[in-house]
Amino acid sequence: FNIDTAFENMKKCRLCQLVDPTQTGSHIVPHFLIRRYENPPGEKDRGYEMGFEIGGLFTKGYVGRSVSPESIEPVYGEFTEEDRQNNKHPDIEDYYFCPRCEKRFQVIENIYSTTLSCFDKTGRPKAIASELGILFWCSVFWRLGEQRLPAMHFTDQEMELMRSVLDECLPEPNQKPDMDIISNHEGLKQLSYALIRCTSNEEDNKFFLVHPRYIKPHALVVADQIVFLSVDGDYSQARAGDFFGIEENVKDISENKVGGTESYTTITPEVLHVLIEGAIELAKQIRFTEVSEFLDEVYREAGGPGNGWPDFIKQEIWQELTANETKLGRRYTKEDLIRCSRKVFSRYIPQE
């Protein structure tokens, strides 16, 4: 390991590590997936995204450049100049890749997108070689890993394995994949994925989640799909672990490995809704813990006696956060937490 080389590579395109990363507007998650959970019904073009990035402590909203003021107002009220300056999509990054590598991603994205738009006579999605599915989903998970999201738990070695697989197997721009290279690549043979799809493509499945506790395998929920990626063939958590209340549907997933055709299992819309409700409940638990710890830290910084606020005060602040009538786009922000905290504190702390 050469630290000088590592720092030098950080300045280059994150995929090829050869040239400067001059590309702007790179989608970490491909747009044909993003539009499934962020665009309004029937709208497939870019710029119409509207969503929320739900962190452990705060929530941050974002809107596409083509979203109309009439659509923004019910969610945010007035969308100010400050809102516009801070408006950034969490899955669009500048200066991660070079233009060549950006186009290489597009080749595999265009191929895989047909599995969601092209169907055979029986209504089944178009079949695709497992190798290409591995390459596509590896590209999504790796790009998410490059963002260093708290929910992504790839090791440096795993990230480098995936980077080298992508760099050596992705075709050149406007070229077809070389299946001989892909099928015989030793690194790619270490990777596999499993896929669950909902039997009904409902327009209201507006959901994207990186499972914060899965590493064997890593797990991703994208609208009406659940994807598991393994870098070592270990699916033990999926076979025996908790998955938002749909464990029976997850434990029998089948792996897609080199040498086959993509396969997947299906779930009903009702099962998908159970998953979404379970994920929301976990997010609430994480949010409450983070808010409680944040309030206690503020309390200690202010010189309060003991380790933090009494539990009943933190519960009242939480109730204010979850019950207030602030516009959805303004809720669970730092400003919202401050406002709710002051309201509760005023009941117990004498005002000057």
Side-chain angles (χ1 to χ4, degrees):
F1 176 78
N2 187 304
I3 191 168
D4 293 329
T5 301
F7 274 113
E8 188 62 30
N9 286 342
M10 289 174 64
K11 303 175 186 177
K12 301 295 184 181
C13 170
R14 300 189 184 207
L15 181 58
C16 67
Q17 297 184 346
L18 296 176
V19 298
D20 292 339
T22 59
Q23 181 68 41
T24 59
S26 295
H27 280 75
I28 300 301
V29 177
H31 180 260
F32 79 88
L33 292 178
I34 287 178
R35 73 188 187 201
R36 296 172 73 84
Y37 57 87
E38 290 188 353
N39 279 30
E43 183 57 69
K44 295 183 178 181
D45 290 343
R46 298 170 186 257
Y48 289 92
E49 305 87 358
M50 180 181 288
F52 299 94
E53 182 181 13
I54 303 175
L57 185 55
F58 300 121
T59 295
K60 183 179 180 181
Y62 50 91
V63 298
R65 62 184 180 276
S66 299
V67 178
S68 68
E70 293 75 18
S71 297
I72 294 175
E73 199 283 332
V75 180
Y76 289 91
E78 181 185 3
F79 202 67
T80 66
E81 184 59 33
E82 182 180 358
D83 291 327
R84 292 185 179 87
Q85 292 177 357
N86 295 325
N87 184 38
K88 180 185 181 302
H89 196 293
D91 290 326
I92 298 177
E93 300 286 359
D94 295 334
Y95 310 118
Y96 267 41
F97 309 113
C98 65
R100 166 180 167 264
C101 286
E102 179 75 9
K103 293 176 182 177
R104 296 169 73 201
F105 284 128
Q106 291 172 6
V107 174
I108 193 65
E109 291 167 9
N110 290 339
I111 292 172
Y112 194 82
S113 67
T114 62
T115 67
L116 298 176
S117 59
C118 298
F119 304 89
D120 62 22
K121 294 180 180 179
T122 67
R124 295 280 292 183
K126 180 180 178 180
I128 190 173
S130 293
E131 291 92 333
L132 297 178
I134 294 172
L135 202 57
F136 170 74
W137 287 115
C138 174
S139 79
V140 175
F141 277 88
W142 177 75
R143 281 178 281 184
L144 287 167
E146 279 295 311
Q147 288 187 307
R148 299 294 187 255
L149 300 175
M152 299 300 295
H153 303 294
F154 290 112
T155 66
D156 291 344
Q157 291 79 10
E158 290 169 340
M159 286 294 291
E160 176 56 24
L161 169 65
M162 291 190 290
R163 187 203 67 79
S164 63
V165 166
L166 293 168
D167 189 35
E168 294 167 19
C169 293
L170 285 175
E172 290 299 315
N174 303 315
Q175 298 295 313
K176 294 182 179 180
D178 188 321
M179 295 305 296
D180 286 337
I181 291 176
I182 295 173
S183 300
N184 293 297
H185 194 283
E186 292 302 318
L188 190 136
K189 290 179 181 179
Q190 297 180 49
L191 306 177
S192 61
Y193 72 102
L195 183 63
I196 299 175
R197 284 179 174 161
C198 183
T199 54
S200 175
N201 179 18
E202 296 186 19
E203 293 284 7
D204 62 347
N205 293 329
K206 304 296 187 180
F207 199 73
F208 175 85
L209 170 75
V210 177
H211 199 301
R213 297 173 181 171
Y214 261 54
I215 58 174
K216 298 293 184 178
H218 301 271
L220 184 66
V221 182
V222 185
D224 55 352
Q225 301 183 93
I226 310 167
V227 190
F228 302 89
L229 181 79
S230 175
V231 296
D232 58 8
D234 188 346
Y235 285 77
S236 56
Q237 279 185 279
R239 305 293 185 201
D242 169 72
F243 204 87
F244 305 126
I246 66 164
E247 293 75 26
E248 290 300 312
N249 302 91
V250 170
K251 68 180 183 180
D252 294 326
I253 54 176
S254 58
E255 302 172 44
N256 288 288
K257 302 178 181 179
V258 169
T261 301
E262 181 179 81
S263 64
Y264 59 90
T265 55
T266 60
I267 56 175
T268 64
E270 291 75 19
V271 171
L272 181 61
H273 290 160
V274 170
L275 180 155
I276 293 174
E277 290 299 318
I280 291 173
E281 185 57 37
L282 175 61
K284 288 179 180 178
Q285 295 172 12
I286 294 174
R287 173 64 56 83
F288 177 77
T289 299
E290 293 281 349
V291 167
S292 179
E293 292 176 352
F294 176 77
L295 291 170
D296 285 342
E297 183 179 351
V298 171
Y299 179 87
R300 291 190 293 269
E301 286 290 329
N307 292 322
W309 294 102
D311 287 342
F312 75 90
I313 287 184
K314 290 185 287 189
Q315 285 286 353
E316 287 190 29
I317 293 173
W318 178 251
Q319 290 169 5
E320 286 289 340
L321 277 170
T322 55
N324 74 74
E325 297 181 357
T326 304
K327 294 274 189 181
L328 183 61
R330 307 295 183 187
R331 296 177 65 178
Y332 304 110
T333 62
K334 183 177 181 180
E335 293 74 20
D336 193 32
L337 177 56
I338 292 172
R339 183 183 59 78
C340 292
S341 299
R342 284 176 173 168
K343 184 176 181 179
V344 173
F345 294 156
S346 68
R347 301 170 189 163
Y348 303 98
I349 301 174
Q351 302 297 303
E352 296 182 1

